[in-house]
Amino acid sequence: MERDFASNRIFHDLPLIPPEWRSQWTFKVILRGESAIPDPSGNLFLVNIQQIYESRSEEWQPLNAVDAILGIPPKQDLANYQPSMLDRIKSLRDLMVFNDEAHHVHDDDLQWNQTLLALHDNLKQKTSHGLSLWLDFSATPRLKRALISLDHH
């Protein structure tokens, strides 16, 4: 999957995009583990939601008054600092979410929903609108009682 998306190959090899749109259909693809900085628009983050959970950033507490004044000490060489995946996503002014395998995410207490709602709120504060689009896809029914028997005798 990464190979197909990394070069935008999937959009050009499969008949997904009308020919007259293909010249404008390019994304800067940012794969999990990459440290690329997104462009102002036209980015495709191909990541697992676990990579952007807000809880991944540790909460820091000052040990003394000097720490409280100076703030969080850098953990690494500042010349080589790379913003987190979450910080890079939060830097954007427009965001759409396409979630694959979404059959298990409809619980308000799940970190998945909390993370996306935090992104939505972040956008609302910056732009007065939230996520532009949030689509969940699944081939698995959410509720077992929704299963339909296809047993034809």
Side-chain angles (χ1 to χ4, degrees), residues 47-109:
V47 298
N48 293 325
I49 188 67
Q50 294 86 352
Q51 293 178 277
I52 61 171
Y53 284 166
E54 289 200 83
S55 64
R56 287 198 172 227
S57 55
E58 298 173 22
E59 289 192 30
W60 177 80
Q61 295 293 324
L63 298 175
N64 53 46
V66 173
D67 282 352
I69 292 169
L70 294 178
I72 301 172
K75 292 184 178 184
Q76 52 189 312
D77 178 9
L78 291 178
N80 293 322
Y81 169 76
Q82 296 294 328
S84 71
M85 185 69 74
L86 177 62
D87 289 340
R88 288 180 278 159
I89 292 171
K90 281 183 164 181
S91 73
L92 301 171
R93 297 188 58 80
D94 289 300
L95 185 63
M96 295 186 296
V97 174
F98 296 86
N99 176 30
D100 189 23
E101 300 298 329
H103 52 272
H104 59 284
V105 300
H106 295 283
D107 181 346
D108 291 340
D109 295 330

